[in-house]
Amino acid sequence: PAKAPAVKAVDGGKVEKKIIGKWAPDSEAMMKELADEPAAALPLPLPLLQSIMNNMTVEVQKGKVTIHAAGEKQTATYRITKVDKAANKLTLQITDEDGVHEGSATVEEKKDGRKTLTLENDGEKFFLNSITASEFEKRRNAGAKPPSFPRRK
């Protein structure tokens, strides 16, 4: 991959602490986002994407994001370039297997204590809900099995 242009990383402080944790896709919001995409632009048919999403997990640690889906694990690293405390938003430089991208992470804290996270990477949006460690393990273990395809008779 191309070498990332040097950016001055800033401390994410309290906002970064809010994004660190275990997350799962908000399938409904994600399907709405994908519904506008032409079928040819999708990596897989929508029903298959939905079944993968149902067991997908995302783990955010300081400086890195790991996605567990369909038995695979993908990790991207991030550097924080800007913090907007009022909006609970971090502007990020994300480095993954496809190179370096601009992105952002925005956290919303719900009244019931749960959180939602919107990750944006290179124009793609991921809507995530906070989950417990046990829910994370359950989903990750279920997601470790390849998706089952209906058999044709």
Side-chain angles (χ1 to χ4, degrees), residues 66-84:
T66 304
I67 298 172
H68 301 270
E72 307 256 318
K73 183 171 111 170
Q74 276 187 320
T75 301
T77 57
Y78 69 84
R79 293 174 65 168
I80 300 166
T81 56
K82 193 172 133 203
V83 180
D84 180 342

Side-chain angles (χ1 to χ4, degrees), residues 23 26 28 60 64 118 147:
W23 304 87
D26 177 336
E28 213 173 287
V60 180
K64 77 178 184 185
T118 303

